[in-house]
Amino acid sequence: MSNARCEPTMMEWSELPWRKLEQTVFKLQKRIFKASQRGDGRTVHKLQKTLMRSWSGKCLAVRRVTQDNQGKKTAGVDGVKSLRPVERFTLIDQLAPTDKAKPTRRVWIPKPGTEEKRPLGIPTMHDRAVQALVKQVLEPEWEAKFEPNSYGFRPGRSAHDAIGAIFSNVCHKPKYVLDADIAKCFDRINHEALLTKLNTFPTLRRQIKAWLQAGVLDGQSVFPTPEGTPQGGVISPLLANVALHGMEECIRQAFPPRRLTIQGQKVRINPPHFVRYADDFVILHERLDVIQQCQQRIAQWLEPMGLALKPSKTRIVHTLLAHEGPAGFDFLGFTVRQFPTGKSQAAKNPKGVSLGCKTFIRPSREAISRHQKKLKTIVTAHRALPQRKLINALNPVVRGWTNYFSAVASKQCFSHLGHWLYENLQNWARHRHPHQGRRWVSFRYWLVGEGKGWQFATRNGEEDRRLQRHSETPIRRHVKVQAQRSPYDGDWVYWGTRMGRHPEVKYRVAALLKRQKGKCPHCRLFFTHGDKLEVDHKLARRYGGRDNLANLQLLHRHCHKTKTVREDRKGGEVC
């Protein structure tokens, strides 16, 4: 009998003990997180080496880049993409850190709201898998070190947490704000300064250095990368966060809490409040001179890392009064501004004293303009297509945009956009029927719902063929994440509850999360931040299943694919 290893099949890949593999990896990550919290660097490096060598970690890294990631079908310079199960096992066997890396493939994507393009560097599938493995190793260590007001590209944190931190700081007192942006942050990070800051063991240092200096293939030419981290890699956001770590501590050390005597009265001066999301950050304080000094301190702090502030996007403003421009500032698509009000509507400070103003956070004009432009492009592109296809194209855009802004004062904005979209749809309908009157066109493309008014919908009345209005999205306030919390602390109750309450989570996804108690019914593991979730029909619609909550369940993307394969083989039997 031959002792040769049998070639892996689809069923072998799908039937791997994923639950046990994920538990093994998370236990090691939790131990790394705890060791980093107590400052035990020796134990951190020992556990990281164990995780790097573990077969469980390699399996999860390969599954992430070949099954879960949106870019799994995007090839690097070697042209490899969409690996089959047999090839995934081969990749697992080859997964190990080295001191070599292939160049990344340059892809240019447009920046929203500008004519500029952002350069992406797409690594090869092998390098992506190794980066996913290294990220599993490094992220728990740095999650224990990162500053509490850093929110970008971190598990369990989002733009809404950054906006919540800003609101909680300005709602009790008008502030001066340093609204700053770092010029070409990803492209100018100093490699040696970053590697020194990482302070990891030699094998990992050599591998990360190889990725940073691998070069980039743009067209037919390979260009060196003496500085910067390539955008598009799995580990790039983590490396950028490591490079910018320490900015908040720099400000706090420079401006500790103190008491000053001003006009014969002792006044307590609090430290500036710092909020960062990736390379965008704001600093808030009630004194203008403190904000000006903060700008100088930050510029000095960025120099050793090879970075600098972008003059065109760095300014000092005030939340209530005009200073170097109108009051208020834009951050992450939101406009933060205070308006003077009467005593009855004004906000109060913690001592109950009226501030004479009220803080409002709304969608920015630029965000609204981009959204309108996108909707108009979709409507124009569907002039000759059926109404059903137009509705299917508009609904995801409307739903995603309104969900993002549903945690702030957006009701008036949603109502305005609803009227604007109605007028554009009227123009779309009259363009299709130039010889018919407005009344005929309205009855042709709009239905009168019970208590819902006129609805842009198909005549068959199917729920999925009805256009979702902007104003249908309810306003739900977002609760900011607790400062020192991390998904690696193991508190599944806290993190599972937050997932269901996030503004960008759809209603039925939130309902399924609550019903399933935060667990995937297929692998019986808790959903964590960063997991790709998909809604599945227990009995597929092609086999007679209904599209209602009773027949729906929430699965991991990889679990959904496995369940679908098994279901097809069993001829529609519920798995």
Side-chain angles (χ1 to χ4, degrees):
M1 183 179 294
S2 174
N3 292 326
R5 179 183 174 183
C6 296
E7 189 179 54
T9 64
M10 175 64 190
M11 294 303 294
E12 287 179 349
W13 175 262
S14 63
E15 291 179 355
L16 285 175
W18 292 111
R19 173 182 171 85
K20 186 176 181 180
L21 298 180
E22 290 198 32
Q23 288 176 334
T24 302
V25 170
F26 182 76
K27 286 179 181 178
L28 283 170
Q29 289 178 321
K30 187 176 179 180
R31 291 175 64 189
I32 293 171
F33 176 79
K34 296 293 184 182
S36 181
Q37 271 188 328
R38 62 177 183 266
D40 190 353
R42 184 175 181 179
T43 302
V44 168
H45 291 169
K46 182 179 179 181
L47 293 171
Q48 286 176 333
K49 293 175 183 178
T50 302
L51 182 53
M52 286 286 294
R53 293 191 298 264
S54 72
W55 196 71
S56 301
K58 294 179 180 180
C59 286
L60 293 182
V62 169
R63 186 181 70 177
R64 176 178 177 180
V65 299
T66 60
Q67 280 190 281
D68 292 345
N69 281 5
Q70 295 285 359
K72 60 189 175 184
K73 296 183 180 180
T74 305
V77 295
D78 57 355
V80 176
K81 59 180 180 179
S82 301
L83 298 185
R84 296 176 297 171
V86 177
E87 297 168 328
R88 294 172 194 164
F89 281 105
T90 304
L91 181 57
I92 290 173
D93 294 336
Q94 298 173 350
L95 221 57
T98 61
D99 56 353
K100 297 180 181 179
K102 292 186 177 180
T104 59
R105 183 171 68 89
R106 173 71 78 217
V107 175
W108 296 89
I109 61 172
K111 277 188 176 183
T114 64
E115 296 182 357
E116 298 180 17
K117 290 190 175 181
R118 177 180 287 113
L120 294 186
I122 310 300
T124 63
M125 189 64 73
H126 177 271
D127 284 341
R128 269 181 269 179
V130 181
Q131 287 184 16
L133 179 62
V134 172
K135 185 179 180 182
Q136 289 178 355
V137 167
L138 286 179
E139 194 169 59
E141 175 193 358
W142 282 93
E143 275 297 307
K145 297 178 180 179
F146 281 144
E147 295 157 328
N149 286 304
S150 166
Y151 299 99
F153 303 122
R154 292 182 58 188
R157 284 166 166 77
S158 66
H160 299 86
D161 294 308
I163 294 298
I166 292 173
F167 178 81
S168 62
N169 186 259
V170 303
C171 65
H172 295 308
K173 182 180 287 189
K175 301 284 181 69
Y176 285 97
V177 182
L178 172 63
D179 181 15
D181 185 23
I182 301 174
K184 296 184 178 180
C185 176
F186 282 84
D187 300 332
R188 295 181 179 176
I189 293 176
N190 184 283
H191 290 172
E192 287 302 322
L194 175 59
L195 292 171
T196 303
K197 201 169 188 178
L198 278 169
N199 191 29
T200 187
F201 52 93
T203 303
L204 210 53
R205 177 188 171 91
R206 288 194 296 268
Q207 177 63 86
I208 294 173
K209 186 176 182 179
W211 286 329
L212 295 174
Q213 299 180 351
V216 58
L217 177 65
D218 193 352
Q220 300 297 324
S221 304
V222 178
F223 298 94
T225 51
E227 59 184 5
T229 62
Q231 299 183 61
V234 178
I235 201 173
S236 298
L238 176 61
L239 295 180
N241 267 336
V242 171
L244 298 177
H245 171 67
M247 296 174 69
E248 182 177 358
E249 184 62 26
C250 167
I251 294 299
R252 289 190 175 275
Q253 289 180 358
F255 304 95
R258 62 192 189 277
R259 289 186 177 274
L260 297 178
T261 303
I262 301 177
Q263 296 180 354
Q265 295 183 351
K266 289 187 177 180
V267 180
R268 175 182 171 84
I269 305 298
N270 294 316
H273 190 71
F274 181 94
V275 177
R276 180 174 67 85
Y277 188 91
D279 58 340
D280 295 330
F281 65 91
V282 293
I283 303 177
L284 307 104
H285 199 267
E286 59 266 22
R287 293 173 60 92
L288 176 61
D289 58 330
V290 172
I291 291 294
Q292 292 171 339
Q293 293 177 46
C294 286
Q295 183 174 357
Q296 298 173 3
R297 292 273 183 176
I298 289 295
Q300 294 172 3
W301 187 90
L302 290 172
E303 284 182 5
M305 195 58 66
L307 302 173
L309 297 178
K310 191 172 185 177
S312 61
K313 291 189 177 181
T314 301
R315 62 193 187 112
I316 297 177
V317 298
H318 194 269
T319 56
L320 178 61
L321 307 174
H323 180 80
E324 295 185 8
F329 64 98
D330 293 348
F331 191 65
L332 303 178
F334 299 86
T335 291
V336 183
R337 185 177 174 182
Q338 292 174 317
F339 294 88
T341 60
K343 291 183 180 179
S344 60
Q345 295 184 354
K348 297 180 180 179
N349 64 15
K351 296 182 180 180
V353 179
S354 175
L355 300 178
C357 63
K358 194 170 184 178
T359 304
F360 285 96
I361 300 180
R362 296 168 175 163
S364 68
R365 290 185 179 181
E366 185 180 351
I368 295 172
S369 178
R370 286 201 305 265
H371 181 57
Q372 289 177 326
K373 185 177 180 181
K374 188 170 185 178
L375 292 177
K376 195 159 189 175
T377 302
I378 293 174
V379 173
T380 303
H382 287 74
R383 278 189 171 182
L385 296 176
Q387 182 187 17
R388 171 178 51 84
K389 292 190 176 182
L390 174 60
I391 293 174
N392 289 343
L394 287 174
N395 270 342
V397 178
V398 172
R399 187 181 300 115
W401 195 87
T402 54
N403 282 344
Y404 181 77
F405 291 103
S406 64
V408 297
S410 304
K411 204 65 180 178
Q412 185 177 359
C413 173
F414 289 172
S415 178
H416 168 74
L417 285 170
H419 291 299
W420 177 88
L421 183 58
Y422 169 78
E423 292 297 334
N424 278 266
L425 293 175
Q426 278 283 349
N427 293 336
W428 173 87
R430 288 200 296 271
H431 178 270
R432 295 167 66 89
H433 305 281
H435 302 297
Q436 299 293 342
R438 187 183 184 99
R439 183 180 179 84
W440 185 95
V441 168
S442 296
F443 279 101
R444 173 67 176 80
Y445 291 104
W446 275 264
L447 299 177
V448 180
E450 296 180 1
K452 296 182 179 179
W454 290 87
Q455 296 177 305
F456 189 73
T458 53
R459 302 302 298 182
N460 56 20
E462 294 180 8
E463 187 67 22
D464 59 341
R465 297 295 182 266
R466 182 184 64 83
L467 178 64
Q468 177 176 331
R469 297 174 179 173
H470 289 79
S471 57
E472 289 179 5
T473 303
I475 302 300
R476 297 180 296 173
R477 301 303 180 190
H478 179 68
V479 180
K480 189 180 80 71
V481 66
Q482 295 177 7
Q484 301 299 331
R485 287 282 192 170
S486 171
Y488 296 106
D489 59 16
D491 191 346
W492 298 113
V493 175
Y494 176 80
W495 292 106
T497 303
R498 284 189 59 82
M499 284 185 66
R501 294 178 179 175
H502 196 275
E504 293 184 283
V505 172
K506 300 177 184 177
Y507 167 77
R508 69 175 185 174
V509 172
L512 293 173
L513 276 170
K514 185 176 181 180
R515 188 177 72 187
Q516 297 171 196
K517 298 181 179 179
K519 282 187 177 182
C520 175
H522 187 270
C523 64
R524 303 187 306 280
L525 286 172
F526 283 99
F527 294 116
T528 60
H529 288 272
D531 288 345
K532 305 300 181 182
L533 310 183
E534 293 183 352
V535 177
D536 169 63
H537 292 81
K538 296 178 183 177
L539 178 62
R541 300 190 70 179
R542 60 183 178 278
Y543 298 121
R546 302 184 64 183
D547 190 24
N548 53 23
L549 280 176
N551 189 45
L552 297 179
Q553 59 184 351
L554 196 63
L555 303 176
H556 292 104
R557 177 177 291 173
H558 46 268
C559 293
H560 188 194
K561 185 174 182 180
T562 302
K563 184 253 184 187
T564 302
V565 171
R566 292 180 180 177
E567 188 178 63
D568 289 342
R569 291 185 177 182
K570 293 182 179 181
E573 182 180 342
V574 180
C575 298

